[in-house]
Amino acid sequence: MPSSPLLALRLLIVCWISVTTVVLGQACSEKPWETVHRRLATKTPYRHIFRDGGYNPIGQIDGCQVRRTWGLFRHGTRNPSKKVIERMITDLVGIRDDILQHGKLCKKELEMFERWKPMLRVEEEKMLVAEGVDEMQQLGKRFRTRYGRHLPQDYQKEDFYFKFTKTERAENSARNFSLGLFGRTVDVDYPTALSRDPVLRFYKLCQRWRSEIKHNPEAIREVELFYNSKPMKEAIGRISKKVGTFLDADSIHLMYQTCAFETAWNKKHTSPWCTLFDKLSVKLLEFGEDLEYYWIDGYGYELTYEQACSAFGDLLKRFDGELEPHTFYFTHSGTLLKSMAFLGLHRDEYPLTHKDFERKRQWRVSEIDAFASNLVFTQFECTNGTHVMLSHQERAVHIPGCPRGQTLCDYESFRRLFAERLNNCAFDTMCSIDVPKRDEL
Protein backbone atom coordinates (compact mmCIF):
# COMPACT_ATOMS: atom_id res chain seq x y z
CA MET A 1 0.00 0.00 0.00
CA PRO A 2 1.47 3.40 -0.94
CA SER A 3 2.67 5.71 1.80
CA SER A 4 0.40 8.54 2.89
CA PRO A 5 2.54 11.38 1.41
CA LEU A 6 2.74 9.59 -1.97
CA LEU A 7 -0.99 8.98 -1.98
CA ALA A 8 -1.61 12.63 -1.15
CA LEU A 9 0.70 13.71 -4.00
CA ARG A 10 -1.11 11.43 -6.47
CA LEU A 11 -4.47 12.80 -5.35
CA LEU A 12 -3.16 16.34 -5.74
CA ILE A 13 -1.95 15.61 -9.28
CA VAL A 14 -5.29 14.00 -10.22
CA CYS A 15 -7.19 16.97 -8.81
CA TRP A 16 -4.93 19.46 -10.65
CA ILE A 17 -5.42 17.62 -13.93
CA SER A 18 -9.18 17.50 -13.39
CA VAL A 19 -9.41 21.21 -12.58
CA THR A 20 -7.13 22.11 -15.50
CA THR A 21 -9.17 19.96 -17.86
CA VAL A 22 -12.40 21.63 -16.80
CA VAL A 23 -11.04 25.18 -16.99
CA LEU A 24 -9.07 24.73 -20.19
CA GLY A 25 -11.49 22.34 -21.86
CA GLN A 26 -14.35 24.79 -21.48
CA ALA A 27 -12.36 27.53 -23.18
CA CYS A 28 -11.74 25.27 -26.16
CA SER A 29 -15.14 23.62 -26.34
CA GLU A 30 -16.79 26.33 -28.46
CA LYS A 31 -15.49 26.54 -32.02
CA PRO A 32 -17.36 29.33 -33.77
CA TRP A 33 -15.00 29.23 -36.76
CA GLU A 34 -17.75 29.06 -39.33
CA THR A 35 -19.46 32.04 -37.75
CA VAL A 36 -16.19 33.98 -37.55
CA HIS A 37 -15.03 33.16 -41.04
CA ARG A 38 -18.24 34.28 -42.70
CA ARG A 39 -18.32 37.57 -40.79
CA LEU A 40 -15.01 39.21 -41.68
CA ALA A 41 -16.50 42.25 -43.43
CA THR A 42 -14.56 43.52 -46.46
CA LYS A 43 -11.65 41.19 -45.60
CA THR A 44 -13.78 38.06 -46.09
CA PRO A 45 -12.19 35.72 -48.67
CA TYR A 46 -14.34 35.06 -51.73
CA ARG A 47 -14.37 31.30 -51.08
CA HIS A 48 -16.47 31.89 -47.96
CA ILE A 49 -19.30 33.65 -49.80
CA PHE A 50 -19.22 32.08 -53.27
CA ARG A 51 -22.03 29.60 -53.79
CA ASP A 52 -21.43 27.33 -56.73
CA GLY A 53 -24.32 26.04 -58.83
CA GLY A 54 -27.90 27.19 -58.77
CA TYR A 55 -27.81 29.12 -62.05
CA ASN A 56 -27.93 28.26 -65.74
CA PRO A 57 -25.00 29.01 -68.02
CA ILE A 58 -25.50 32.22 -69.98
CA GLY A 59 -25.69 30.24 -73.21
CA GLN A 60 -28.84 28.44 -72.03
CA ILE A 61 -31.08 31.51 -71.91
CA ASP A 62 -33.60 30.64 -74.61
CA GLY A 63 -33.80 32.87 -77.64
CA CYS A 64 -30.98 35.18 -76.54
CA GLN A 65 -27.46 35.85 -77.72
CA VAL A 66 -24.86 37.70 -75.67
CA ARG A 67 -24.08 41.05 -77.27
CA ARG A 68 -21.93 42.82 -74.69
CA THR A 69 -20.59 42.48 -71.13
CA TRP A 70 -19.38 45.11 -68.65
CA GLY A 71 -17.93 44.15 -65.28
CA LEU A 72 -16.50 45.71 -62.13
CA PHE A 73 -14.19 43.38 -60.20
CA ARG A 74 -12.72 44.11 -56.80
CA HIS A 75 -9.11 42.94 -56.53
CA GLY A 76 -8.44 39.60 -54.84
CA THR A 77 -7.20 38.96 -51.30
CA ARG A 78 -4.34 41.27 -50.39
CA ASN A 79 -2.01 42.18 -47.55
CA PRO A 80 -3.02 44.85 -45.01
CA SER A 81 -2.07 48.51 -45.19
CA LYS A 82 1.27 49.82 -43.92
CA LYS A 83 -0.39 51.11 -40.75
CA VAL A 84 -1.92 47.73 -39.90
CA ILE A 85 1.34 45.87 -40.61
CA GLU A 86 3.22 48.26 -38.30
CA ARG A 87 0.67 47.66 -35.56
CA MET A 88 0.91 43.89 -36.06
CA ILE A 89 4.66 44.17 -35.47
CA THR A 90 4.31 46.35 -32.37
CA ASP A 91 0.89 46.32 -30.69
CA LEU A 92 -0.04 42.71 -31.51
CA VAL A 93 3.28 41.35 -30.30
CA GLY A 94 2.62 43.07 -26.97
CA ILE A 95 -0.90 41.66 -26.78
CA ARG A 96 0.42 38.19 -27.66
CA ASP A 97 2.91 38.43 -24.80
CA ASP A 98 0.11 39.43 -22.42
CA ILE A 99 -1.89 36.41 -23.56
CA LEU A 100 1.02 34.04 -22.97
CA GLN A 101 1.56 35.47 -19.48
CA HIS A 102 -1.97 36.14 -18.29
CA GLY A 103 -4.39 34.79 -20.90
CA LYS A 104 -7.31 32.59 -19.89
CA LEU A 105 -7.17 30.23 -22.84
CA CYS A 106 -6.89 26.49 -23.23
CA LYS A 107 -3.60 24.75 -23.97
CA LYS A 108 -4.23 24.40 -27.70
CA GLU A 109 -5.04 28.10 -28.08
CA LEU A 110 -2.00 29.13 -26.05
CA GLU A 111 0.19 26.94 -28.25
CA MET A 112 -1.21 28.72 -31.30
CA PHE A 113 -0.16 32.07 -29.82
CA GLU A 114 3.27 30.68 -28.91
CA ARG A 115 3.81 29.88 -32.59
CA TRP A 116 2.40 33.18 -33.85
CA LYS A 117 4.63 35.97 -35.05
CA PRO A 118 4.20 38.82 -37.55
CA MET A 119 4.82 37.58 -41.08
CA LEU A 120 4.90 40.79 -43.12
CA ARG A 121 7.23 43.67 -43.83
CA VAL A 122 5.79 47.12 -44.46
CA GLU A 123 7.17 46.94 -48.01
CA GLU A 124 4.58 44.23 -48.72
CA GLU A 125 1.59 46.43 -47.90
CA LYS A 126 -1.58 45.82 -49.92
CA MET A 127 0.08 43.38 -52.32
CA LEU A 128 -2.02 40.61 -53.88
CA VAL A 129 -1.35 37.29 -52.14
CA ALA A 130 -1.54 33.69 -53.37
CA GLU A 131 -5.19 33.39 -52.34
CA GLY A 132 -5.99 36.49 -54.37
CA VAL A 133 -4.19 35.05 -57.39
CA ASP A 134 -6.29 31.90 -57.11
CA GLU A 135 -9.54 33.85 -56.61
CA MET A 136 -9.04 35.83 -59.80
CA GLN A 137 -7.91 32.87 -61.91
CA GLN A 138 -10.93 30.85 -60.78
CA LEU A 139 -13.23 33.79 -61.51
CA GLY A 140 -11.84 33.95 -65.05
CA LYS A 141 -12.30 30.21 -65.54
CA ARG A 142 -15.90 30.29 -64.33
CA PHE A 143 -16.62 33.33 -66.51
CA ARG A 144 -15.43 31.32 -69.50
CA THR A 145 -17.59 28.35 -68.47
CA ARG A 146 -20.70 30.46 -67.95
CA TYR A 147 -20.46 32.35 -71.25
CA GLY A 148 -19.13 29.47 -73.36
CA ARG A 149 -19.38 30.04 -77.08
CA HIS A 150 -20.88 33.51 -76.51
CA LEU A 151 -17.42 34.77 -75.60
CA PRO A 152 -14.56 34.86 -78.14
CA GLN A 153 -12.16 32.03 -77.39
CA ASP A 154 -9.00 34.02 -78.05
CA TYR A 155 -7.95 37.50 -77.06
CA GLN A 156 -8.31 40.15 -79.72
CA LYS A 157 -7.96 43.84 -78.97
CA GLU A 158 -11.17 44.51 -80.93
CA ASP A 159 -13.19 42.20 -78.63
CA PHE A 160 -11.89 42.85 -75.12
CA TYR A 161 -11.13 45.93 -73.03
CA PHE A 162 -9.25 45.34 -69.75
CA LYS A 163 -8.27 48.14 -67.38
CA PHE A 164 -6.98 48.33 -63.81
CA THR A 165 -6.19 51.10 -61.34
CA LYS A 166 -2.61 52.15 -60.68
CA THR A 167 -2.06 49.58 -57.91
CA GLU A 168 -0.18 46.30 -57.83
CA ARG A 169 -3.20 44.39 -56.46
CA ALA A 170 -5.55 45.59 -59.20
CA GLU A 171 -3.01 44.98 -61.98
CA ASN A 172 -2.21 41.45 -60.86
CA SER A 173 -5.91 40.73 -60.39
CA ALA A 174 -6.51 41.71 -64.02
CA ARG A 175 -3.62 39.60 -65.27
CA ASN A 176 -4.71 36.53 -63.32
CA PHE A 177 -8.34 36.91 -64.38
CA SER A 178 -7.25 37.00 -68.02
CA LEU A 179 -5.09 33.92 -67.41
CA GLY A 180 -8.14 32.05 -66.15
CA LEU A 181 -10.36 33.42 -68.92
CA PHE A 182 -8.10 32.43 -71.81
CA GLY A 183 -6.43 29.41 -70.22
CA ARG A 184 -2.94 30.77 -70.81
CA THR A 185 -0.90 33.96 -70.53
CA VAL A 186 -1.85 36.34 -73.31
CA ASP A 187 -0.45 39.69 -74.34
CA VAL A 188 -3.37 41.87 -73.30
CA ASP A 189 -3.29 45.50 -74.39
CA TYR A 190 -3.83 47.41 -71.14
CA PRO A 191 -4.36 51.20 -71.30
CA THR A 192 -2.42 53.50 -68.98
CA ALA A 193 -3.41 52.90 -65.36
CA LEU A 194 -4.58 55.93 -63.37
CA SER A 195 -4.61 56.38 -59.61
CA ARG A 196 -7.56 58.78 -60.00
CA ASP A 197 -9.54 57.07 -62.72
CA PRO A 198 -12.93 58.74 -63.48
CA VAL A 199 -14.54 55.33 -64.04
CA LEU A 200 -12.59 52.89 -61.87
CA ARG A 201 -11.95 55.17 -58.89
CA PHE A 202 -14.12 58.22 -59.40
CA TYR A 203 -14.28 59.07 -55.69
CA LYS A 204 -10.57 59.93 -55.68
CA LEU A 205 -11.54 62.89 -57.89
CA CYS A 206 -14.46 64.00 -55.70
CA GLN A 207 -12.94 66.54 -53.32
CA ARG A 208 -16.25 67.38 -51.66
CA TRP A 209 -16.90 63.73 -50.77
CA ARG A 210 -13.38 63.38 -49.39
CA SER A 211 -13.71 66.51 -47.28
CA GLU A 212 -17.31 66.30 -46.06
CA ILE A 213 -17.66 62.52 -45.72
CA LYS A 214 -14.52 60.39 -45.89
CA HIS A 215 -12.36 62.62 -43.67
CA ASN A 216 -15.20 64.04 -41.58
CA PRO A 217 -15.35 62.49 -38.07
CA GLU A 218 -19.04 63.39 -37.87
CA ALA A 219 -19.73 60.99 -40.77
CA ILE A 220 -18.94 58.00 -38.55
CA ARG A 221 -20.86 59.24 -35.52
CA GLU A 222 -23.07 56.14 -35.63
CA VAL A 223 -19.99 53.90 -35.51
CA GLU A 224 -18.68 55.70 -32.45
CA LEU A 225 -22.07 55.46 -30.74
CA PHE A 226 -22.13 51.73 -31.43
CA TYR A 227 -18.63 51.13 -30.03
CA ASN A 228 -19.75 52.92 -26.87
CA SER A 229 -22.95 50.89 -26.58
CA LYS A 230 -23.54 48.41 -23.78
CA PRO A 231 -23.36 45.24 -26.00
CA MET A 232 -20.05 46.35 -27.50
CA LYS A 233 -18.54 47.28 -24.13
CA GLU A 234 -19.56 43.89 -22.76
CA ALA A 235 -17.91 42.16 -25.73
CA ILE A 236 -14.72 44.16 -25.20
CA GLY A 237 -14.82 43.10 -21.55
CA ARG A 238 -15.17 39.41 -22.44
CA ILE A 239 -12.29 39.56 -24.90
CA SER A 240 -10.10 41.50 -22.44
CA LYS A 241 -10.76 38.83 -19.82
CA LYS A 242 -9.52 36.14 -22.21
CA VAL A 243 -6.40 38.14 -23.03
CA GLY A 244 -5.71 38.83 -19.36
CA THR A 245 -5.42 42.61 -19.63
CA PHE A 246 -7.79 45.47 -20.46
CA LEU A 247 -7.97 46.32 -24.16
CA ASP A 248 -9.52 49.32 -25.87
CA ALA A 249 -11.85 49.12 -28.87
CA ASP A 250 -9.02 50.05 -31.26
CA SER A 251 -6.94 47.04 -30.16
CA ILE A 252 -9.97 44.74 -30.46
CA HIS A 253 -10.51 45.98 -34.00
CA LEU A 254 -6.85 45.33 -34.87
CA MET A 255 -7.20 41.75 -33.60
CA TYR A 256 -10.37 41.34 -35.69
CA GLN A 257 -8.54 42.63 -38.79
CA THR A 258 -5.66 40.23 -38.18
CA CYS A 259 -8.06 37.34 -37.74
CA ALA A 260 -9.63 38.32 -41.07
CA PHE A 261 -6.41 38.69 -43.05
CA GLU A 262 -4.86 35.50 -41.70
CA THR A 263 -8.07 33.61 -42.47
CA ALA A 264 -8.21 35.00 -46.00
CA TRP A 265 -4.58 34.15 -46.74
CA ASN A 266 -4.80 30.46 -45.93
CA LYS A 267 -7.57 27.95 -46.60
CA LYS A 268 -6.49 25.51 -43.87
CA HIS A 269 -4.85 27.67 -41.21
CA THR A 270 -6.86 29.04 -38.27
CA SER A 271 -5.56 32.35 -37.01
CA PRO A 272 -5.06 32.35 -33.23
CA TRP A 273 -6.63 35.81 -33.14
CA CYS A 274 -9.94 34.31 -34.28
CA THR A 275 -10.03 32.14 -31.15
CA LEU A 276 -10.58 35.21 -28.98
CA PHE A 277 -14.00 35.95 -30.47
CA ASP A 278 -17.24 34.24 -29.52
CA LYS A 279 -20.22 34.23 -31.88
CA LEU A 280 -21.78 37.34 -30.39
CA SER A 281 -18.62 39.43 -30.33
CA VAL A 282 -17.78 38.71 -33.96
CA LYS A 283 -21.35 39.60 -35.01
CA LEU A 284 -20.99 42.87 -33.15
CA LEU A 285 -17.65 43.63 -34.83
CA GLU A 286 -19.13 42.81 -38.21
CA PHE A 287 -22.03 45.19 -37.58
CA GLY A 288 -19.56 47.94 -36.66
CA GLU A 289 -17.93 47.45 -40.07
CA ASP A 290 -21.31 47.47 -41.82
CA LEU A 291 -22.14 50.78 -40.11
CA GLU A 292 -18.88 52.39 -41.20
CA TYR A 293 -19.16 51.31 -44.83
CA TYR A 294 -22.85 52.27 -44.91
CA TRP A 295 -22.06 55.86 -43.93
CA ILE A 296 -18.78 56.27 -45.84
CA ASP A 297 -19.32 54.17 -49.00
CA GLY A 298 -23.04 53.35 -49.06
CA TYR A 299 -26.42 54.93 -48.51
CA GLY A 300 -25.57 57.30 -45.64
CA TYR A 301 -25.06 60.35 -47.87
CA GLU A 302 -26.53 60.95 -51.31
CA LEU A 303 -23.30 62.37 -52.71
CA THR A 304 -21.47 59.13 -51.93
CA TYR A 305 -23.40 57.08 -54.46
CA GLU A 306 -24.58 59.77 -56.87
CA GLN A 307 -20.95 60.39 -57.87
CA ALA A 308 -20.97 56.84 -59.33
CA CYS A 309 -22.79 58.29 -62.34
CA SER A 310 -19.26 58.78 -63.67
CA ALA A 311 -18.86 55.00 -63.94
CA PHE A 312 -22.33 54.13 -65.18
CA GLY A 313 -22.11 56.65 -67.96
CA ASP A 314 -19.30 54.44 -69.26
CA LEU A 315 -21.59 51.38 -69.05
CA LEU A 316 -24.23 52.94 -71.32
CA LYS A 317 -21.61 54.38 -73.68
CA ARG A 318 -20.17 50.90 -74.18
CA PHE A 319 -23.54 49.18 -74.47
CA ASP A 320 -24.80 51.77 -76.96
CA GLY A 321 -21.64 52.29 -78.99
CA GLU A 322 -19.27 50.42 -81.23
CA LEU A 323 -16.45 49.96 -78.71
CA GLU A 324 -15.02 46.62 -77.59
CA PRO A 325 -17.98 44.41 -76.63
CA HIS A 326 -16.44 42.88 -73.50
CA THR A 327 -15.23 45.26 -70.78
CA PHE A 328 -13.49 44.21 -67.56
CA TYR A 329 -12.53 46.75 -64.89
CA PHE A 330 -10.37 45.84 -61.89
CA THR A 331 -10.84 48.16 -58.99
CA HIS A 332 -11.52 48.48 -55.26
CA SER A 333 -14.05 48.12 -52.47
CA GLY A 334 -15.04 51.80 -52.57
CA THR A 335 -16.04 51.54 -56.24
CA LEU A 336 -18.09 48.37 -55.78
CA LEU A 337 -20.02 49.64 -52.74
CA LYS A 338 -20.82 53.05 -54.20
CA SER A 339 -21.91 51.39 -57.44
CA MET A 340 -24.25 49.02 -55.58
CA ALA A 341 -25.79 51.99 -53.77
CA PHE A 342 -26.16 53.88 -57.07
CA LEU A 343 -28.11 50.90 -58.43
CA GLY A 344 -30.23 50.54 -55.27
CA LEU A 345 -28.90 47.06 -54.41
CA HIS A 346 -29.04 45.73 -50.83
CA ARG A 347 -30.91 48.80 -49.61
CA ASP A 348 -32.79 48.44 -46.35
CA GLU A 349 -36.06 50.24 -45.66
CA TYR A 350 -34.44 52.21 -42.86
CA PRO A 351 -31.15 54.11 -42.47
CA LEU A 352 -28.65 51.98 -40.58
CA THR A 353 -27.91 53.32 -37.07
CA HIS A 354 -26.11 52.09 -33.95
CA LYS A 355 -29.45 50.86 -32.59
CA ASP A 356 -30.07 48.37 -35.43
CA PHE A 357 -27.70 45.54 -34.50
CA GLU A 358 -30.48 43.00 -33.91
CA ARG A 359 -32.55 43.95 -36.96
CA LYS A 360 -32.31 41.99 -40.20
CA ARG A 361 -30.38 43.90 -42.81
CA GLN A 362 -29.43 43.56 -46.45
CA TRP A 363 -26.35 45.77 -46.11
CA ARG A 364 -23.78 43.20 -45.00
CA VAL A 365 -20.35 43.85 -46.45
CA SER A 366 -19.16 40.34 -45.54
CA GLU A 367 -21.55 39.07 -48.24
CA ILE A 368 -21.67 41.91 -50.74
CA ASP A 369 -18.06 43.18 -50.70
CA ALA A 370 -15.70 40.30 -49.93
CA PHE A 371 -12.35 40.17 -51.67
CA ALA A 372 -12.85 39.58 -55.45
CA SER A 373 -16.47 40.77 -55.33
CA ASN A 374 -17.93 41.48 -58.74
CA LEU A 375 -20.79 43.21 -60.58
CA VAL A 376 -21.30 42.16 -64.19
CA PHE A 377 -23.87 43.49 -66.67
CA THR A 378 -24.70 41.39 -69.72
CA GLN A 379 -26.55 42.77 -72.72
CA PHE A 380 -28.55 40.25 -74.75
CA GLU A 381 -30.13 40.38 -78.18
CA CYS A 382 -33.25 38.24 -77.83
CA THR A 383 -36.11 37.31 -80.11
CA ASN A 384 -38.28 39.80 -78.20
CA GLY A 385 -35.76 42.65 -78.18
CA THR A 386 -32.65 43.79 -76.32
CA HIS A 387 -32.36 42.98 -72.63
CA VAL A 388 -29.86 43.38 -69.82
CA MET A 389 -29.01 41.19 -66.84
CA LEU A 390 -27.02 42.01 -63.71
CA SER A 391 -24.97 39.45 -61.82
CA HIS A 392 -23.52 40.04 -58.36
CA GLN A 393 -21.06 37.48 -57.01
CA GLU A 394 -21.71 35.48 -60.23
CA ARG A 395 -25.44 35.09 -59.57
CA ALA A 396 -28.21 36.91 -61.44
CA VAL A 397 -29.96 39.51 -59.26
CA HIS A 398 -33.00 41.69 -59.74
CA ILE A 399 -32.21 45.20 -60.95
CA PRO A 400 -34.13 47.63 -58.71
CA GLY A 401 -36.75 49.42 -60.80
CA CYS A 402 -37.11 46.60 -63.34
CA PRO A 403 -40.14 44.26 -63.23
CA ARG A 404 -40.18 42.11 -60.09
CA GLY A 405 -39.45 38.41 -60.40
CA GLN A 406 -37.36 38.86 -63.55
CA THR A 407 -33.60 38.90 -63.99
CA LEU A 408 -33.80 39.98 -67.63
CA CYS A 409 -34.77 43.64 -67.95
CA ASP A 410 -35.84 45.34 -71.17
CA TYR A 411 -32.85 47.44 -72.16
CA GLU A 412 -34.81 50.60 -73.02
CA SER A 413 -36.57 50.37 -69.66
CA PHE A 414 -33.20 49.95 -67.99
CA ARG A 415 -31.82 53.02 -69.76
CA ARG A 416 -34.83 55.09 -68.67
CA LEU A 417 -34.24 54.10 -65.04
CA PHE A 418 -30.92 55.93 -65.04
CA ALA A 419 -31.42 58.42 -67.88
CA GLU A 420 -32.06 61.49 -65.74
CA ARG A 421 -29.21 60.79 -63.30
CA LEU A 422 -26.74 60.06 -66.09
CA ASN A 423 -27.83 62.89 -68.36
CA ASN A 424 -27.43 65.28 -65.43
CA CYS A 425 -24.19 63.77 -64.17
CA ALA A 426 -22.46 67.06 -63.35
CA PHE A 427 -19.59 65.32 -61.58
CA ASP A 428 -17.32 68.36 -61.33
CA THR A 429 -20.13 70.49 -59.92
CA MET A 430 -21.36 68.00 -57.33
CA CYS A 431 -17.81 67.26 -56.22
CA SER A 432 -16.62 70.84 -56.00
CA ILE A 433 -15.57 71.86 -52.53
CA ASP A 434 -17.21 75.26 -53.09
CA VAL A 435 -20.81 74.09 -53.62
CA PRO A 436 -23.27 74.96 -50.84
CA LYS A 437 -23.57 72.20 -48.23
CA ARG A 438 -26.83 70.30 -47.97
CA ASP A 439 -28.27 68.05 -45.34
CA GLU A 440 -27.81 64.72 -47.12
CA LEU A 441 -28.66 62.36 -44.29
Side-chain angles (χ1 to χ4, degrees):
M1 184 174 179
S3 65
S4 178
L6 183 58
L7 177 60
L9 178 60
R10 286 178 176 174
L11 288 173
L12 181 62
I13 292 172
V14 169
C15 290
W16 181 85
I17 291 172
S18 299
V19 171
T20 304
T21 302
V22 171
V23 173
L24 301 182
Q26 287 178 348
C28 275
S29 61
E30 186 183 15
K31 294 183 179 180
W33 309 129
E34 186 63 27
T35 300
V36 173
H37 290 173
R38 291 183 60 82
R39 295 182 181 275
L40 299 175
T42 60
K43 309 306 182 289
T44 301
Y46 194 69
R47 67 181 185 271
H48 285 166
I49 59 100
F50 172 65
R51 298 172 180 87
D52 201 359
Y55 55 74
N56 292 325
I58 296 297
Q60 292 184 11
I61 297 178
D62 293 338
C64 295
Q65 294 288 324
V66 173
R67 188 167 178 263
R68 292 179 178 274
T69 60
W70 186 94
L72 294 174
F73 297 83
R74 185 188 175 196
H75 58 75
T77 294
R78 61 163 171 82
N79 283 334
S81 65
K82 177 182 177 181
K83 180 180 178 181
V84 173
I85 294 174
E86 287 174 340
R87 293 193 65 202
M88 286 178 171
I89 295 169
T90 56
D91 298 10
L92 274 194
V93 168
I95 295 172
R96 178 205 62 190
D97 293 344
D98 284 335
I99 289 171
L100 295 178
Q101 277 192 298
H102 312 293
K104 295 176 174 60
L105 303 176
C106 71
K107 183 180 178 181
K108 180 180 177 182
E109 291 167 345
L110 287 172
E111 287 173 347
M112 292 169 70
F113 277 104
E114 286 174 350
R115 294 191 297 269
W116 183 87
K117 61 181 179 180
M119 300 173 59
L120 298 174
R121 295 173 290 109
V122 292
E123 294 81 8
E124 299 173 289
E125 66 161 335
K126 295 189 176 182
M127 294 179 67
L128 196 73
V129 299
E131 177 68 14
V133 168
D134 185 60
E135 285 167 339
M136 301 312 295
Q137 288 186 14
Q138 295 305 317
L139 265 174
K141 288 179 181 179
R142 288 193 299 270
F143 201 95
R144 167 65 61 189
T145 300
R146 286 192 70 192
Y147 283 81
R149 61 182 177 81
H150 293 265
L151 202 67
Q153 186 67 38
D154 298 314
Y155 172 77
Q156 296 291 334
K157 184 178 178 179
E158 297 76 21
D159 295 325
F160 294 96
Y161 184 72
F162 289 81
K163 195 177 187 185
F164 47 78
T165 64
K166 197 174 183 179
T167 61
E168 182 273 346
R169 58 195 181 279
E171 177 177 348
N172 275 335
S173 291
R175 295 186 185 281
N176 280 285
F177 179 89
S178 68
L179 177 59
L181 185 67
F182 298 111
R184 64 190 186 284
T185 300
V186 295
D187 188 17
V188 174
D189 183 43
Y190 294 105
T192 301
L194 305 173
S195 58
R196 291 177 171 82
D197 192 297
V199 176
L200 278 68
R201 230 175 181 182
F202 46 84
Y203 50 93
K204 291 280 187 179
L205 293 160
C206 191
Q207 290 303 316
R208 182 169 161 240
W209 173 79
R210 292 170 67 82
S211 173
E212 295 183 14
I213 301 173
K214 181 175 175 62
H215 298 303
N216 181 1
E218 185 62 21
I220 56 170
R221 177 169 50 92
E222 291 295 333
V223 181
E224 293 175 352
L225 288 171
F226 178 68
Y227 268 89
N228 284 298
S229 67
K230 182 180 178 182
M232 197 68 220
K233 286 182 176 179
E234 289 175 346
I236 291 172
R238 290 195 305 274
I239 297 166
S240 294
K241 188 176 180 181
K242 279 189 174 184
V243 171
T245 187
F246 178 76
L247 298 171
D248 58 17
D250 198 39
S251 295
I252 299 291
H253 186 255
L254 174 64
M255 291 152 54
Y256 176 63
Q257 285 183 300
T258 306
C259 162
F261 277 112
E262 292 187 349
T263 296
W265 294 336
N266 196 309
K267 291 181 174 67
K268 298 180 180 179
H269 172 71
T270 296
S271 169
W273 300 100
C274 295
T275 68
L276 299 171
F277 304 114
D278 56 32
K279 291 181 180 181
L280 177 57
S281 63
V282 81
K283 288 179 182 179
L284 287 161
L285 287 162
E286 179 194 35
F287 181 72
E289 294 282 289
D290 289 345
L291 266 182
E292 180 173 352
Y293 285 101
Y294 180 90
W295 288 99
I296 299 299
D297 287 316
Y299 289 106
Y301 296 87
E302 183 180 341
L303 173 63
T304 298
Y305 55 87
E306 285 301 333
Q307 61 177 309
C309 62
S310 178
F312 286 94
D314 182 85
L315 166 66
L316 292 189
K317 181 179 74 173
R318 290 188 168 276
F319 274 14
D320 289 344
E322 298 300 324
L323 299 170
E324 302 91 340
H326 302 291
T327 302
F328 303 97
Y329 290 136
F330 298 86
T331 181
H332 305 268
S333 171
T335 304
L336 270 292
L337 289 173
K338 294 175 186 69
S339 297
M340 290 178 217
F342 181 87
L343 293 167
L345 293 175
H346 312 296
R347 185 165 197 166
D348 295 292
E349 296 179 356
Y350 55 91
L352 207 59
T353 73
H354 68 283
K355 298 178 180 179
D356 297 319
F357 167 63
E358 294 185 352
R359 295 178 71 174
K360 278 192 173 182
R361 65 188 185 279
Q362 297 183 58
W363 187 264
R364 289 190 55 208
V365 294
S366 298
E367 291 283 341
I368 67 177
D369 190 39
F371 284 126
S373 286
N374 47 88
L375 285 171
V376 178
F377 285 89
T378 305
Q379 186 186 55
F380 295 92
E381 199 61 54
C382 304
T383 53
N384 61 343
T386 306
H387 292 76
V388 65
M389 183 177 76
L390 170 61
S391 295
H392 180 212
Q393 316 298 44
E394 303 177 75
R395 302 181 75 86
V397 296
H398 172 254
I399 300 172
C402 290
R404 282 282 179 187
Q406 299 179 23
T407 54
L408 282 183
C409 182
D410 174 70
Y411 183 60
E412 286 307 312
S413 299
F414 171 77
R415 290 180 89 262
R416 285 195 296 271
L417 281 176
F418 302 101
E420 182 178 353
R421 295 160 75 189
L422 295 180
N423 291 338
N424 298 312
C425 182
F427 184 87
D428 291 340
T429 300
M430 77 169 78
C431 286
S432 171
I433 207 77
D434 299 321
V435 298
K437 293 183 179 181
R438 297 180 301 165
D439 179 10
E440 297 178 309
L441 285 174

